[in-house]
Amino acid sequence: MSLLHTPFRVSNNLHFRDSRTYYNLLCWLTGSLIKLVYFCTYDDSCRDDDELRSQNESLGSKSDNSRPVLRGKLHFAKFETSKINDCLEFIHSMKLHLGGGGAYKFADLFKEKLSVSLDKEDEMECLVTGANFLLKAVHQEAFTYLDGQKEFAQIDPNDLYPYLLVNIGSGVSMIKVDGDGKFERVSGTSLGGGTFWGLGRLLTKCKNFDELLELSHQGNNRVIDMLVGDIYGGTDYAKIGLSATTIASSFGKAISDNKELVDYKPEDISRSLLRMISNNIGQISYLNALRFGLKRIFFAGFFIRGHAYTMDTISVAVNFWSKGEAEAMFLRHEGFLGALGAFMSYEKQCLDGLTVNKIPQRFPISVSSAGNKIYCSMNGKSNGNESIECTVYGT
Amino acid sequence: MSLLHTPFRVSNNLHFRDSRTYYNLLCWLTGSLIKLVYFCTYDDSCRDDDELRSQNESLGSKSDNSRPVLRGKLHFAKFETSKINDCLEFIHSMKLHLGGGGAYKFADLFKEKLSVSLDKEDEMECLVTGANFLLKAVHQEAFTYLDGQKEFAQIDPNDLYPYLLVNIGSGVSMIKVDGDGKFERVSGTSLGGGTFWGLGRLLTKCKNFDELLELSHQGNNRVIDMLVGDIYGGTDYAKIGLSATTIASSFGKAISDNKELVDYKPEDISRSLLRMISNNIGQISYLNALRFGLKRIFFAGFFIRGHAYTMDTISVAVNFWSKGEAEAMFLRHEGFLGALGAFMSYEKQCLDGLTVNKIPQRFPISVSSAGNKIYCSMNGKSNGNESIECTVYGT
């Protein structure tokens, strides 16, 4: 019942600024965020030194098929939609618009300020393309998170499908993925990141999503949530397997006549909200995975954004509802699936096909049958989740 | 992940005040409400005239087994837990405490004011007993509700099981019922009536659950919810079957920097909240019915309380998520399942079994193998949902 991404890209994408520097930009507009994915070779704005330039040039000559090669990074950036002008300024200052860009209701703004026009992409298709790309091509992309422990999952690209992709944007989409381009949006929920942020803003006056998330760390949901123990005199309802600390009713204590909104701490409200929404998403995801016999559930989208407590709550929820039979998995580049997918699909159209390799393993995994190639490897240490190192075989 | 009822009853239940007047009371404490179920023959507080008294007496002589019979009504009443004193006063004034009573954290209060002690009952068992009783014994108990149309369902008592019982109190319990006393709580959600009321109180300053529900009638959820059309430029996302008016993100528009809580109308907030919670309950209920192959879903509990818009939203949600394959059903005495079940189970212990008959059909449906009998028929016109006419065969 919800989805939040509207991928658009410019028509006149792909631009070689000069013989050495290659740009491409894709913007992804969500209900609340604009995400940018752009590729650039090492140049002024990335790393501009002779060494790298010569490295690029020398790498070019190493191409299997002797075509020019470009080496650079896929970069990720995000802006709140309300900060569209900051975003446009960023694109302009980076000269990224010479490569491309996209967004929906800001089409006129993009046209006016950057002189680019926008094309529409299919959201679900982009999400799936992005997820498939990341899960197949990027080393240590998927991981589990329980009790503060992050553990990378070994994903065999030949045994990836089917899986459930849960993309948590402002709303939540649940997509059964059966292969490249083979997918179905089977469910979703309108209780997503926009609900957390929207209700959180109204209840706490926080001005920023990250600030609200941060607050939840220090909060105690028991102040506002009605627990099983609150009803059963501090004891479990053991007969049906509910512990005293299980939330019986989210915000159930707020019905008290004695307290008004100002009497509650923002951090407690934030924590109750986060648990309510994470629990709910975990539950509905598990029920859908069960329904379609899917063993793996990958959670992605900007709601998670590497936030430990969110991942922990979702993991606990999946574990609780599945009675330990399922576990939640997360993606390092969770917030950029759609943008990346739109980027990939554009590349596909322009370059007539991509090949993505896991460089660390040194064996190629074909994601399309022919054409040019992008080789990717993680550059985790230096860039965190903000970029992926890539090698592009141009035409 | 939630349940909210703690049934308790007094030990010294069942009291004959005089030869003609029979009282019995059961209190049911929820997270937020106290519900009373009490039976009384026609007397001062119900209908006390010579005609009825003689009717009772003459009915007594009509008993199959020539034991004394009592004719009267099962009455239903509710109080907010914060109004416990009003409740105690009501019980006292009605002299109901001479029959019995129950509640949990107010045990001391009951002891002090009414000199009654409390016994604990199992919540789920009471809910199921109450639902089975109503569905089997009461004519026109179950109905569907769509587009403002209430339609009574014909329930064949021999083809009732299995079904999913969704009890929406402060939290929500989902119980698979396979027969008398045969049930399993298979799921639930912490987003229930307490969430609606709790969040509603914080966001609107409404002082009363019913007032908040009433407000929702006049509200427009599109002011606060982010719709598919808001993202897709007013159009549907037809490819995946989502219309422009589908809620993409509940409260998703509240992320706007331009508006604060005071800028939103309480009625719009109430409507968004109600839709969020009703949709969610409908979705999770359907997924659980599907999981266990249950064709019928009965929604009950005080959250619904005959509120047309709530029932409509739940019906629409079940219809939406099941793609028209399932439909929501409701119970006329939705808010008193637990209290009634506890009452029935107490009667069972005291009277060593009950037999419940649908009087309109004039054929008995045995719900226990032996012992005394209560005959029930609806007295819809004069009492609405507040009472059920009963005939009791005493020991």
Side-chain angles (χ1 to χ4, degrees), chain A residues 40-229:
Chain A
C40 68
T41 53
Y42 298 120
D43 66 74
D44 319 86
S45 62
C46 301
R47 288 158 69 192
D48 186 20
D49 52 56
D50 286 344
E51 191 199 342
L52 274 167
R53 194 169 296 146
S54 67
Q55 196 183 1
N56 260 345
E57 279 157 359
S58 69
L59 268 165
S61 64
K62 280 183 194 164
S63 167
D64 292 339
N65 51 12
S66 300
R67 285 184 293 187
V69 70
L70 294 163
R71 201 169 157 191
K73 284 179 189 166
L74 275 174
H75 291 262
F76 304 96
K78 66 182 162 64
F79 294 87
E80 294 178 18
T81 46
S82 59
K83 308 264 167 61
I84 177 75
N85 285 323
D86 291 359
C87 175
L88 292 170
E89 177 55 34
F90 175 80
I91 293 170
H92 199 263
S93 71
M94 297 285 284
K95 297 199 177 73
L96 294 173
H97 62 295
L98 298 175
Y104 154 64
K105 56 184 165 185
F106 302 110
D108 291 343
L109 216 53
F110 271 83
K111 190 82 190 164
E112 181 197 327
K113 303 250 180 174
L114 303 173
S115 302
V116 293
S117 60
L118 304 176
D119 285 345
K120 197 172 177 176
E121 296 278 349
D122 181 73
E123 177 197 342
M124 297 301 137
E125 206 164 300
C126 290
L127 287 175
V128 170
T129 304
N132 283 347
F133 167 77
L134 289 169
L135 287 167
K136 283 185 174 180
V138 179
H139 186 54
Q140 296 196 326
E141 177 64 26
F143 61 91
T144 58
Y145 196 96
L146 261 177
D147 302 324
Q149 291 295 316
K150 189 177 193 169
E151 199 168 304
F152 285 106
Q154 289 295 334
I155 306 285
D156 175 357
N158 298 313
D159 187 27
L160 173 62
Y161 308 113
Y163 67 85
L164 187 72
L165 175 62
V166 180
N167 193 68
I168 315 175
S170 299
V172 184
S173 282
M174 295 171 189
I175 309 163
K176 180 163 86 78
V177 183
D178 292 303
D180 274 324
K182 286 169 67 181
F183 63 89
E184 187 190 354
R185 184 184 187 275
V186 291
S187 201
T189 167
S190 70
L191 283 96
T195 314
F196 175 68
W197 192 0
L199 276 174
R201 258 196 89 252
L202 296 181
L203 292 166
T204 68
K205 296 183 179 169
C206 265
K207 292 294 179 212
N208 178 293
F209 188 99
D210 288 315
E211 187 192 329
L212 185 64
L213 269 181
E214 196 55 42
L215 267 182
S216 73
H217 276 292
Q218 305 138 36
N220 179 0
N221 74 300
R222 299 181 188 194
V223 176
I224 302 171
D225 292 341
M226 189 184 280
L227 308 187
V228 168

Side-chain angles (χ1 to χ4, degrees), chain A residues 210-262:
Chain A
D210 288 315
E211 187 192 329
L212 185 64
L213 269 181
E214 196 55 42
L215 267 182
S216 73
H217 276 292
Q218 305 138 36
N220 179 0
N221 74 300
R222 299 181 188 194
V223 176
I224 302 171
D225 292 341
M226 189 184 280
L227 308 187
V228 168
D230 293 323
I231 302 165
Y232 286 92
T235 64
D236 298 345
Y237 189 171
K239 198 171 171 182
I240 52 171
L242 295 178
S243 77
T245 55
T246 302
I247 301 171
S249 175
S250 293
F251 286 84
K253 275 188 191 148
I255 65 169
S256 160
D257 281 346
N258 308 324
K259 279 177 147 186
E260 300 302 322
L261 181 54
V262 292

